[in-house]
Each structure stands twice: as structure tokens, then as C-alpha cells.
Amino acid sequence: YRRLDYTIGGTDKNRNPLNVSDQLDFFNPKLGISYQLSENSSFYTSFAVANKEPNRDDYVNAPVSTVPKSENLQDIEAGYRLGTQNISAGINGFAMFYKDQLVLTGKVNDVGEYIRQNVPDSYRAGVELEGRWQISNQLSWAATAALSRNKIKNFTEYVDDYDTGIQIRNDYKSTDIAFSPAFIGSNELSYKPFRNVEMAVLSKYVSKQYLDNTSKNDRIINPFFVNDLRLGYNTSFKGVKNIGLTLLVNNILGEEYETNGYTFSYVYDAAFTTENFYYPQAKQNFLLSLNLKF
């Protein structure tokens, strides 16, 4: 149990005085059970509740006489783990139910500031898989995958209409939560030709994501697949127990992709326009690191 007394003073962006206060009572129980099925395998299940207060901007930018609600999450998970000398694997199923999740809707307050609003019901549900195989003393392979369904049950979008000065309201059902890919997969193939030398290829695939909560296909981040190369060398010298040198070459194939961005729609001169803005990622780039252990 936690009681939060939230008080905001000072001034806003326009130097207007602030006097915001709120009191929130949170109860965050967590319960888990694990059962050892055999020497190499186990099953577990858990239930947890989490609450989060609105942030400062949510309070400051809220319309007059409106107080944002805190977010509530109920998380149910269950999984199975298997581990032997050369193979380890796991599967985890999850269902995360949100109450009053705060999201951007395009709504503006009385001074034109975009605000986050509470959506009554949303959820994330899916399955996560991971595995590792020690093929030989020199070669190993590891992979992960996550498949999920991330939905807002009822979502209202607000679009600026510059012809009338009044925002247009669009209602949607069962839309995807923004920046929530339905599939993420990764792979790592590692080879040690010598005792102190390691070479590894790392791959990652991320499926389509939406820039907002409308699930419109003209507001997406395209899927991307990137590969990295890691070279490592470890040795020791006199009083230094370990000298680790690692070279990481990212995006070795020069993939052109974006991982983030935002979208903006409006009506002007009777025409509906959507503009998307992206944060492109670097092509080939590298990181060289030195780790010393005494």
C-alpha cells in the first residue's frame, strides 16, 4: 500500500502560477508460485497489480476543472522453463490489463497544448519464447521471440480543422496501441575459434508499428531487420586479472530504417492531410570498448 500526495507549484510555460494538488492511494500486491517439475524443468505463475500517477505535464496541461486519473495495471503471467547441460528454453504467457491508460489523442486544451487522456480499457496479451543451444564447445546459438496483441478497446481521435477552428472527433474500436509491434525476434550465433576469442552475429526483426492509436496504415513505422557483428578478445597481464576488448559493428548490411517518430493530421482548405515524421537510424557504425578487471 502506498499513499501519494502530489503537489505542483511554481509556474507553467507561460509563467502563470501553479497550484495543483492530488492525493492517490495505491495498493500494489504481487503473488507468485513456482513449482519444480523435475531436476531440469519448472513451472511458474504470477499475478501483480501496479499503479502509476499522471506525470507533471498531465496535471499542468489538463483542461480547467479536469483532473487526470492514475493508471492501473493488472498483470497475469505463467511460464515453463527447461534447462539441461547444452540446452535451455523457456516460454512465458502474459496478459496485461490497463485501466485509465494515459495516451495522446490529438486533443488540445484551452491554450492549444496537446494533452494525454485516459482511455478506460486497453490490454497487451501474448507469448514470449527464448532458447539457447550449446552446439559445441566453440559454437552456440540463442534466439528470442515475442508475439503480442496490443489493443485499446475504444479510442477517440481529435483532428485539428483549421477551416472551422473546431477539432474533428473520430471514434475507433479495437485499435493497436502506438509503438507496439506484434512481433519481435532476435538471434545470436556465437563462435569461439580460440579460447580467448569470440565472434558473434546478432540479428533483430521488428514488425510494423503504428505512430498513433488509430491503426491507420498511412501512419506506420515499417518493419525492419538489422544485423550486428561482435568481436571479442580477453586476456590477462601481470596485475590485471582480465583485459577485455570488444568491437561491435552495428547494422553491418547498411539497412535504412526508423525506430521512432510522430504523426500529425489536420484539415485545411477542405483537404485532410497527414504528415509523418521519422527518426532515422545510422547505417554502419561501430563501438570499441575496453574492460579492465583488477
Side-chain angles (χ1 to χ4, degrees):
Y1 173 81
R2 182 167 68 102
R3 168 164 286 181
L4 179 65
D5 293 309
Y6 208 40
T7 302
I8 299 175
T11 60
D12 63 13
K13 298 175 183 178
N14 299 316
R15 302 192 63 80
N16 296 315
L18 294 172
N19 184 19
V20 179
S21 62
D22 195 9
Q23 187 179 82
L24 302 170
D25 293 309
F26 292 156
F27 179 57
N28 300 328
K30 297 177 177 63
L31 174 67
I33 299 174
S34 179
Y35 181 71
Q36 195 76 25
L37 298 170
S38 68
E39 182 180 355
N40 299 321
S41 64
S42 62
F43 168 82
Y44 65 88
T45 184
S46 66
F47 172 75
V49 175
N51 293 276
K52 183 179 183 301
E53 68 276 8
N55 62 34
R56 178 184 172 89
D57 282 346
D58 294 325
Y59 281 107
V60 173
N61 297 331
V64 178
S65 301
T66 301
V67 178
K69 300 176 183 177
S70 60
E71 299 174 290
N72 173 266
L73 167 65
Q74 298 183 29
D75 179 31
I76 304 171
E77 300 197 20
Y80 172 78
R81 293 192 183 101
L82 171 68
T84 65
Q85 184 175 358
N86 297 322
I87 295 176
S88 62
I91 181 172
N92 181 70
F94 64 91
M96 305 168 69
F97 301 100
Y98 297 89
K99 189 73 174 176
D100 294 322
Q101 186 178 17
L102 283 161
V103 302
L104 286 170
T105 64
K107 184 72 172 177
V108 297
N109 59 16
D110 55 344
V111 295
E113 191 88 27
Y114 287 98
I115 63 173
R116 295 200 304 173
Q117 292 185 292
N118 297 105
V119 291
D121 297 295
S122 55
Y123 67 90
R124 301 178 188 271
V127 60
E128 300 167 322
L129 303 101
E130 60 177 350
R132 186 174 187 87
W133 179 22
Q134 190 67 43
I135 303 171
S136 67
N137 290 333
Q138 292 79 35
L139 187 64
S140 65
W141 174 62
T144 66
L147 299 93
S148 62
R149 183 176 173 86
N150 314 285
K151 294 290 185 178
I152 298 175
K153 291 186 178 180
N154 295 284
F155 176 72
T156 300
E157 173 197 31
Y158 296 89
V159 179
D160 291 328
D161 187 337
Y162 295 135
D163 294 338
T164 64
I166 301 174
Q167 287 196 307
I168 300 171
R169 171 175 171 158
N170 298 316
D171 295 318
Y172 302 88
K173 288 187 178 296
S174 191
T175 60
D176 288 86
I177 300 175
F179 304 103
S180 301
F183 176 77
I184 300 175
S186 70
N187 169 83
E188 178 180 324
L189 186 62
S190 175
Y191 177 62
K192 293 183 176 180
F194 308 104
R195 184 172 63 90
N196 296 335
V197 178
E198 180 194 34
M199 300 183 295
V201 176
L202 302 89
S203 305
K204 183 177 183 179
Y205 175 81
V206 178
S207 67
K208 177 178 69 176
Q209 306 172 62
Y210 293 97
L211 289 168
D212 65 8
N213 300 293
T214 62
S215 292
K216 289 190 174 181
N217 283 321
D218 61 348
R219 309 175 188 179
I220 65 169
I221 297 175
N222 288 319
F224 60 87
F225 178 62
V226 292
N227 295 273
D228 305 329
L229 177 65
R230 186 181 68 221
L231 304 174
Y233 176 73
N234 288 274
T235 187
S236 60
F237 181 75
K238 292 185 178 180
V240 183
K241 293 182 180 179
N242 183 75
I243 302 173
L245 190 65
T246 301
L247 173 64
L248 181 62
V249 183
N250 298 306
N251 196 10
I252 56 176
L253 300 180
E255 177 77 6
E256 295 183 352
Y257 70 106
E258 307 88 22
T259 59
N260 207 336
Y262 63 95
T263 184
F264 176 64
S265 298
Y266 58 90
V267 175
Y268 179 72
D269 200 15
F272 187 93
T273 302
T274 294
E275 297 181 2
N276 297 330
F277 302 85
Y278 297 97
Y279 299 99
Q281 299 302 298
K283 288 191 174 183
Q284 293 92 344
N285 61 94
F286 69 91
L287 175 69
L288 182 64
S289 64
L290 175 65
N291 185 283
L292 302 176
K293 183 181 292 185
F294 297 92

